[in-house]
Amino acid sequence: PLRLVSSVAGYLCTDGEQKVVGLEVNANHIRSVRSGRVRGVCRALHAGSRHQVWQIDILDEQDRLCCSSRLTTAVV
């Protein structure tokens, strides 16, 4: 889910024929989720013309942090 959330956000911040490609993913898995739903919260730390940095937090149904990750992309 984390790559999907941030990839869509990155795409929505581009213009015309630009594409977003991943450069680096860093993730810290805090707790597992065995059942139920999870929610991804994505926010831009940097949305430049050449690079983007996204913070993605995955939360369980009790709003407990399950995964905290960062994705760096290049805009080509």
Side-chain angles (χ1 to χ4, degrees):
L2 66 97
R3 287 181 52 194
L4 175 64
V5 170
S6 53
S7 294
V8 170
Y11 169 76
L12 293 173
C13 291
T14 60
D15 292 322
E17 297 295 313
Q18 291 179 317
K19 296 185 180 11
V20 176
V21 295
L23 293 178
E24 178 184 14
V25 175
N26 177 303
N28 293 307
H29 300 285
I30 311 300
R31 71 176 70 243
S32 63
V33 177
R34 300 192 192 288
S35 64
R37 294 180 177 216
V38 295
R39 177 172 59 100
V41 179
C42 179
R43 66 183 176 100
L45 300 178
H46 173 73
S49 61
R50 300 254 187 234
H51 292 94
Q52 302 170 346
V53 181
W54 298 94
Q55 174 69 39
I56 309 99
D57 291 329
I58 306 296
L59 304 138
D60 65 11
E61 288 179 327
Q62 291 79 37
D63 280 334
R64 296 179 299 187
L65 184 63
C66 300
C67 178
S68 180
S69 60
R70 189 181 67 244
L71 172 69
T72 304
T73 62
V75 180
V76 293

